[in-house]
Structures are given as structure tokens and as C-alpha cells.
Amino acid sequence: MINEGYDPSKYEERVLQVLKEGRETDDHPWGYTTPSRVAERFNLPRQRINEAINQLEAAGWVEQVEENDSPIRGLYVFVEDPRDK
């Protein structure tokens, strides 16, 4: 369930920024990222990004990607940002 009243932190906003990149174009998939990708992109500590992703996951804004009902470690997908409605 999406927590529509959730207010993302500055680190969470960075994660969302990376997840949303490319959604206005049809030439490549968008909405997927890893903590390392976000940390490297913004030169931030990976631990902070992991914490941000965990909070976004708890809010229902992102999910861990699964294959055959098993989570793929470190790969996350954008679900929804209710502020975009």
C-alpha cells in the first residue's frame, strides 16, 4: 500500500530522482536502480542510500525486484510517487 502522506528525506529524493530518470522517453527502461548507483551518482555514503531505500520501501514507493518469488539482492524498482498525481 502506498503511503500518500509520506515526506521523503533529501537522501530519499536522490533515490527517487535516479528511479525516475528516463521515464519521459521510450528508448530505454527506467525505474530500476541499485544503492551503489545512487551513491556513486551523488557521491553519498552507500549506507545512507540503503537507509533511504528501506524507508521508501516501507512507504510503498519502491519495491525490491523479485525473480521466481525470490528477491534480487540490491535491485529496486519504482512503484509510485503519489505527489506526481
Side-chain angles (χ1 to χ4, degrees):
M1 175 185 262
I2 307 288
N3 180 348
E4 295 184 5
Y6 188 71
D7 185 25
S9 71
K10 65 180 180 179
Y11 294 112
E12 293 161 19
E13 290 289 358
R14 297 293 193 211
V15 172
L16 291 170
Q17 182 179 345
V18 171
L19 286 166
K20 292 178 181 181
E21 286 175 353
R23 73 177 175 170
E24 302 299 325
T25 64
D26 293 326
D27 58 341
H28 59 82
W30 65 275
Y32 293 88
T33 198
T34 64
S36 295
R37 180 177 173 208
V38 179
E40 289 172 13
R41 168 88 184 278
F42 294 105
N43 197 28
L44 296 169
R46 188 167 166 213
Q47 180 60 33
R48 293 282 181 243
I49 300 305
N50 282 324
E51 292 168 0
I53 288 173
N54 288 338
Q55 292 299 315
L56 289 169
E57 190 174 18
W61 293 28
V62 302
E63 293 178 346
Q64 189 167 15
V65 175
E66 293 185 0
E67 184 175 346
N68 300 323
D69 295 325
S70 296
I72 298 175
R73 185 173 174 214
L75 183 59
Y76 296 87
V77 64
F78 177 76
V79 174
E80 180 181 329
D81 182 341
R83 303 172 298 175
D84 292 342
K85 291 183 179 179

